[in-house]
Amino acid sequence: MSAPPKSRLPDILKSHESDLLKDWLKRQLSDTTLRSDLMKESELREQSTQFLRLFREATESGNLTDLSGAQWTPVKGLLSEISESRARQGFRTAETAVFIFSLKQPLFDLLRQEHSKDVDGLATDVWNATAVLDNLGLLTAEYYQKSREDVIVRQQRELSHLNASLEERVRELQQSRLELHEKINDLEQFEDVVVGRELKMIEMEKEIERLKGVRQS
């Protein structure tokens, strides 16, 4: 039995990385799932460029099926960062995973072009590309779900702290209101005392004047 043909995927990625990136970006920018309200084109371009470079470097090891190898660590690390970023930005799971799955069509088009006269080679590379991109897409969805859960937990914690701060502020306002009310009462009592003294002084002055008038008469 003859050995399966060696994958040309690493060499094809290396030779056509620039054209593949251009086609991939074009497809992403025209996709209906793209959230231009949440992400700038420059950020998408940077993420795509970085991923394609790391993806090409990982495939050069020849291991296209086992993502547990050390060569795939940088790729998975980047996907984890992208998933976390998009979870914070408000993307949904499908909108995040399509970042990987949208690479399939431009890559398959490139493989068909390069394997136009090699059916076996085309089948091998299409199979390898499908397997690795599917696995990376599933990982991306898992990373997103974990990141989204972390975002929700953090938001709940922040909301709890905010509620506690609001409750403390309400207590402070209530205490200030009570103290102000007590001060108003004190002022009212002081005013009653002062007014009472003034009234007594006026009455005394009137009595003195009356007495003076009596003596003079």
Side-chain angles (χ1 to χ4, degrees):
M1 180 181 296
S2 60
K6 180 181 177 181
S7 175
R8 290 183 54 205
L9 183 59
D11 294 333
I12 293 174
L13 289 173
K14 186 175 183 179
S15 300
H16 300 278
E17 185 172 347
S18 178
D19 291 336
L20 180 58
L21 174 62
K22 182 178 179 180
D23 193 8
W24 183 28
L25 278 170
K26 181 179 179 181
R27 292 176 183 273
Q28 289 186 84
L29 291 172
S30 62
D31 198 295
T32 56
T33 62
L34 178 67
R35 294 295 303 274
S36 57
D37 57 322
L38 301 178
M39 174 185 289
K40 294 181 179 179
E41 181 179 338
S42 57
E43 183 178 2
L44 177 63
R45 181 178 300 276
E46 181 180 355
Q47 291 176 351
S48 301
T49 301
Q50 191 174 3
F51 172 80
L52 201 55
R53 176 178 59 81
L54 293 178
F55 179 68
R56 186 255 305 162
E57 291 174 354
T59 62
E60 290 175 352
S61 68
N63 180 6
L64 303 177
T65 56
D66 183 9
L67 300 183
S68 63
Q71 67 275 11
W72 289 101
T73 299
V75 177
K76 294 188 291 184
L78 175 63
L79 291 178
S80 178
E81 293 176 5
I82 291 175
S83 298
E84 181 179 357
S85 172
R86 297 196 178 192
R88 291 196 308 268
Q89 291 169 320
F91 282 82
R92 294 192 292 269
T93 305
E95 294 168 343
T96 303
V98 78
F99 173 74
I100 295 299
F101 294 133
S102 62
L103 179 58
K104 279 187 174 183
Q105 191 59 56
L107 180 55
F108 291 168
D109 290 343
L110 179 59
L111 292 177
R112 281 194 292 268
Q113 176 184 329
E114 290 295 306
H115 287 290
S116 59
K117 298 181 180 180
D118 183 6
V119 177
D120 291 339
L122 176 61
T124 297
D125 281 345
V126 167
W127 171 258
N128 287 331
T130 299
V132 70
L133 289 179
D134 283 348
N135 287 332
L136 289 175
L138 292 175
L139 273 179
T140 301
E142 291 177 9
Y143 291 148
Y144 171 86
Q145 290 294 342
K146 176 62 169 59
S147 298
R148 187 58 186 160
E149 291 172 3
D150 292 342
V151 168
I152 293 174
V153 170
R154 184 169 61 253
Q155 289 175 340
Q156 290 175 336
R157 188 182 301 116
E158 292 173 351
L159 181 60
S160 177
H161 290 165
L162 178 60
N163 288 336
S165 298
L166 288 174
E167 290 175 359
E168 178 63 24
R169 183 57 179 162
V170 169
R171 286 194 294 268
E172 291 176 355
L173 290 173
Q174 290 174 339
Q175 180 64 29
S176 298
R177 182 180 179 182
L178 179 61
E179 293 174 355
L180 179 60
H181 185 67
E182 291 176 350
K183 289 180 180 179
I184 291 174
N185 286 337
D186 290 342
L187 288 173
E188 289 176 347
Q189 293 176 6
F190 178 75
E191 183 180 13
D192 290 342
V193 171
V194 172
V195 170
R197 289 182 59 187
E198 290 294 328
L199 291 175
K200 288 181 179 180
M201 290 294 294
I202 293 173
E203 291 177 357
M204 289 178 63
E205 290 176 354
K206 289 181 178 180
E207 182 63 20
I208 291 172
E209 291 296 325
R210 186 184 68 78
L211 292 174
K212 287 181 178 180
V214 171
R215 292 176 62 182
Q216 290 177 356
S217 62

